[in-house]
């Protein structure tokens, strides 16, 4: 190597060293100053650092998990919904192609995603009309800090608590039907499981099935009937199964769903959690609670 090249390298090295030293000194916070410096990426209020460590976090601004750097009202919901929809599309495609193991891995990934957890909590604590109805623990109408706390502590394997039974009147009949109201934590977890399971089950449902499916309604069923009978007359059977949800066999239901053990255990616990009816705890040997987020699935 020529002397000119060596001189050039020495000159560049000499110029870079003071710059790196000044950068390290500028990044170092003096212990005597003890100045509070705002941490970029966190909420502007309530979070300060000393020596690059977060030392204060107001509960009314951020969640207890330091990875969650948003206030409730500042969460970019469009971005979260896009991420959830993208992964749901991959689950649907993997199920359609018969790639069961890949679909299960994606479902497990969806159940641990912070985006999915935040959407599940928003649905049951903000969007749902039952947000003001309490379960057996009395929890209802959660505040934004409580919602962030719920996101941070969601776990599929938390022991299930019994549902609270409420009797409501049937429309047009002098009868009542029971509703099972889970606690808020169970509702959010069920909504999270629904986000993971719904695309896989949509890929397996019949195309002419319209009950309890996203994006479908009774008007779609009426249109399908019209398309079927416009060529030639057909019989239409209108039937209702008495106490259908109250008599579903748990083992047959779980076998029909054919889920992985990661999801089968919480599903079984929700089915066997019991019912509190007029302050009396009753076991549930069969049936599903009408009123739970995951019950339509």
């Amino acid at each position: 190597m020529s002397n000119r090249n060596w001189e050039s390298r020495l000159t560049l090295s000499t110029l870079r060293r003071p710059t790196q030293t000044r950068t390290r000194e500028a990044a170092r916070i003096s212990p005597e100053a003890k100045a509070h410096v705002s941490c970029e990426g966190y909420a502007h209020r309530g979070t300060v650092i000393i020596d690059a460590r977060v030392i204060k976090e107001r509960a009314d601004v951020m969640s207890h998990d330091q990875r969650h750097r948003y206030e409730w009202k500042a969460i970019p919901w469009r971005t979260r919904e896009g991420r959830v929809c993208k992964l749901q599309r991959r689950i649907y495609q993997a199920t359609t192609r018969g790639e069961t193991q890949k679909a299960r891995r994606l479902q497990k990934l969806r159940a641990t995603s912070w985006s999915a957890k935040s959407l599940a909590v928003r649905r049951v604590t903000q969007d749902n009309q039952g947000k003001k109805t309490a379960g057996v623990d009395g929890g209802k109408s959660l505040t934004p800090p409580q919602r962030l706390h719920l996101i941070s502590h969601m776990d599929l394997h938390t022991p299930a608590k019994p549902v609270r039974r409420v009797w409501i009147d049937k429309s047009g009949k002098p009868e009542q039907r029971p509703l099972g109201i889970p606690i808020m934590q169970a509702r959010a977890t069920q909504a999270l499981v629904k986000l993971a399971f719904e695309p896989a089950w949509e890929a397996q449902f019949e195309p002419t099935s319209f009950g309890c499916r996203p994006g479908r309604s009774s008007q779609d069923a009426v249109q399908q009937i019209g398309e079927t009978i416009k060529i030639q007359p057909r019989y239409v059977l209108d039937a209702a199964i008495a106490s259908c949800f109250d008599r579903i066999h748990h083992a047959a239901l779980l076998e029909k769903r054919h889920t992985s053990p990661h999801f089968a255990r919480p599903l079984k616990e929700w089915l066997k959690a019991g019912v509190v009816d007029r302050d009396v705890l009753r076991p549930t040997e069969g049936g599903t609670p009408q009123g739970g987020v995951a019950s339509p699935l």
Side-chain angles (χ1 to χ4, degrees), residues 65-92:
D65 192 340
Q66 294 182 5
R67 296 175 302 169
H68 306 163
R69 305 179 178 182
Y70 298 103
E71 300 180 25
W72 178 260
K73 295 182 179 180
I75 294 177
W77 294 111
R78 289 290 182 87
T79 304
R80 303 300 171 188
E81 291 172 354
R83 292 178 180 177
V84 171
C85 183
K86 182 177 180 180
L87 191 52
Q88 284 183 319
R89 189 181 300 111
R90 294 177 61 190
I91 295 173
Y92 179 87

Side-chain angles (χ1 to χ4, degrees), residues 150-181:
L150 180 58
I151 295 175
S152 302
H153 292 78
M154 287 181 65
D155 187 4
L156 289 178
H157 302 290
T158 301
K161 291 187 178 181
V163 299
R164 183 171 71 93
R165 174 159 291 176
V166 179
W167 295 88
I168 62 174
D169 297 330
K170 288 186 177 181
S171 59
K173 296 181 180 180
E175 301 177 1
Q176 289 185 328
R177 64 185 184 94
L179 285 182
I181 310 299

Side-chain angles (χ1 to χ4, degrees), residues 14-33:
T14 306
L15 290 174
R16 284 173 181 169
R17 286 176 183 173
T19 304
Q20 295 175 354
T21 304
R22 285 194 299 269
T23 303
R24 287 194 295 267
E25 291 177 354
R28 196 177 296 121
I29 300 176
S30 174
E32 292 82 11

Side-chain angles (χ1 to χ4, degrees), residues 202 210 213-217 220:
E202 279 294 314
F210 301 97
R213 296 183 62 181
R216 303 197 177 205
S217 63
D220 297 322

